[in-house]
Amino acid sequence: MAEQRSNHTPTRTTLTVRACVISDGTPGISLSMGREVIGEWTDSRVKTLSLTDENKVAIHGADGDLLYLFSAPGKLLSGEQVSDTEIAITFEI
């Protein structure tokens, strides 16, 4: 069989992860691309975020314990720690 090649050109995008009050008024995590919120979930334990060496988002509770480790799909290009409650990660899919 002949090898098939993909005509897919990678798309670069930035995902912003925030520990904040989400749209239903509860504390939680918000995921957005540009101005559009693409996902959120409630978790009153979440207090801060940190960027790992692998450009993943570590989500921490009040005493600094790791609650979740979040990563974007595709090829991670960079990450920026905007504040202790906001991280932007850029990736290609």
Side-chain angles (χ1 to χ4, degrees):
M1 274 203 259
E3 181 180 329
Q4 290 186 345
R5 295 186 183 207
S6 172
N7 289 333
H8 174 73
T9 301
T11 300
R12 181 179 292 205
T13 190
T14 299
L15 176 71
T16 302
V17 182
R18 291 183 183 91
C20 60
V21 175
I22 61 174
S23 62
D24 69 0
T26 61
I29 297 293
S30 173
L31 306 174
S32 61
M33 292 177 146
R35 297 178 144 226
E36 183 179 350
V37 173
I38 61 167
E40 54 186 15
W41 71 90
T42 299
D43 192 329
S44 61
R45 301 173 301 158
V46 173
K47 300 300 178 202
T48 62
L49 307 175
S50 64
L51 187 64
T52 70
D53 291 339
E54 297 83 26
N55 290 322
K56 295 180 180 180
V57 179
I59 301 169
H60 303 277
D63 58 359
D65 57 320
L66 180 64
L67 301 174
Y68 311 102
L69 188 59
F70 180 86
S71 62
K75 179 182 176 185
L76 289 171
L77 301 174
S78 66
E80 178 187 359
Q81 179 97 36
V82 178
S83 72
D84 65 347
T85 59
E86 183 176 335
I87 292 178
I89 48 179
T90 301
F91 59 99
E92 285 182 344
I93 50 173

